[in-house]
Amino acid sequence: MADQNERSFQRQPTIFLNRKKGLSGKRRKSLRYHREVGLGFKTPRETEKAFQKQSNVFTNRKAHTKKKSLRHARNIGLGFKTPREAIEGSYIDKKCPFTGNVSIRGRILTGVVQKMKMQRTIVIRRDYLHYIRKYNRFEKRHRNMSVHLSPCFRDVEIGDVVTIGECRPLSKTVRFNVLKVTKGQGSKKSFKKF
């Protein structure tokens, strides 16, 4: 039996290791397998096993009927416009307030985009002032919040100011959805009072 400190030989399943050694004239490729994915998002075909469709759109209609777009988009109200990408786009997101099964109710807040490392979720920073009665002064404080970002908002960058609306819990930490994006100056750590 092998010692516990020894590890078995492991390789990535898509790499052929026993290639010929006579490749001196050609440029050598690395033995690491990777795929390029644009815009930071994986396409639904790469991540989901089920067929991606909107729940309230019937896709199996007869062929001879009139052509009409098979897409459901709605107005969420509260004075927010539905983005053009939500109406004309082809993405499927069940947590999108414009095309999915999420209603906006409760609080409407604003914040600055701080991190964009998750898929369809961003971290925003909300700054506020807290009053200290003993010294009769205010101190700066902030909170970070995880917020769902629908694919209909395409060119969001760090430092942009976003308006978010409260919805049902979408995950362990996400309870808000992005409703509007306005371009910011770019400094993510500077204190801004909304």
Side-chain angles (χ1 to χ4, degrees):
M1 190 164 157
D3 190 19
Q4 286 184 352
N5 295 334
E6 289 182 23
R7 291 188 179 147
S8 62
F9 178 70
Q10 294 177 347
R11 68 175 185 86
Q12 285 185 309
T14 53
I15 298 172
F16 181 64
L17 287 178
N18 296 333
R19 61 180 184 181
K20 294 181 181 166
K21 297 199 164 107
L23 295 173
S24 59
K26 297 178 184 173
R27 196 171 59 114
R28 232 169 208 230
K29 287 185 179 177
S30 70
L31 285 177
R32 195 97 184 116
Y33 172 74
H34 69 282
R35 237 165 71 189
E36 297 294 329
V37 178
L39 295 175
F41 291 118
K42 288 189 174 180
T43 59
R45 260 186 229 124
E46 292 172 341
T47 57
E48 306 294 335
K49 292 181 180 177
F51 176 68
Q52 296 295 298
K53 74 179 198 67
Q54 288 184 305
S55 60
N56 43 10
V57 174
F58 182 64
T59 56
N60 197 18
R61 61 181 184 172
K62 299 280 193 285
H64 59 67
T65 56
K66 285 189 265 182
K67 283 282 181 191
K68 192 179 135 192
S69 84
L70 289 174
R71 185 143 182 92
H72 167 72
R74 64 192 175 101
N75 182 15
I76 61 166
L78 302 170
F80 292 101
K81 277 180 60 179
T82 304
R84 183 177 297 277
E85 182 67 26
I87 300 167
E88 299 172 357
S90 60
Y91 71 90
I92 304 294
D93 184 14
K94 64 181 182 181
K95 297 177 181 179
C96 173
F98 305 104
T99 62
N101 185 23
V102 173
S103 62
I104 302 298
R105 78 284 187 282
R107 298 192 292 165
I108 305 292
L109 306 172
T110 54
V112 180
V113 178
Q114 195 171 19
K115 298 176 193 170
M116 296 187 63
K117 295 184 178 178
M118 294 178 274
Q119 286 188 21
R120 297 188 178 182
T121 306
I122 60 173
V123 176
I124 67 162
R125 176 187 171 109
R126 299 197 65 239
D127 298 313
Y128 61 95
L129 297 173
H130 178 251
Y131 180 67
I132 308 293
R133 196 173 69 186
K134 177 181 177 182
Y135 298 109
N136 195 21
R137 279 163 173 77
F138 292 91
E139 68 179 3
K140 297 174 184 176
R141 290 190 178 180
H142 81 277
R143 284 282 180 273
N144 285 349
M145 298 175 67
S146 295
V147 178
H148 183 77
L149 178 70
S150 172
C152 64
F153 300 108
R154 300 193 86 171
D155 50 347
V156 180
E157 295 174 349
I158 292 174
D160 290 350
V161 178
V162 293
T163 303
I164 59 175
E166 191 177 6
C167 58
R168 63 177 168 82
L170 303 177
S171 69
K172 181 183 173 183
T173 57
V174 177
R175 278 112 180 85
F176 285 85
N177 231 312
V178 173
L179 304 178
K180 191 173 77 170
V181 178
T182 53
K183 292 293 170 190
Q185 278 78 20
S187 58
K188 63 179 180 180
K189 279 280 189 177
S190 64
F191 187 85
K192 294 187 183 74
K193 182 76 180 75
F194 292 110

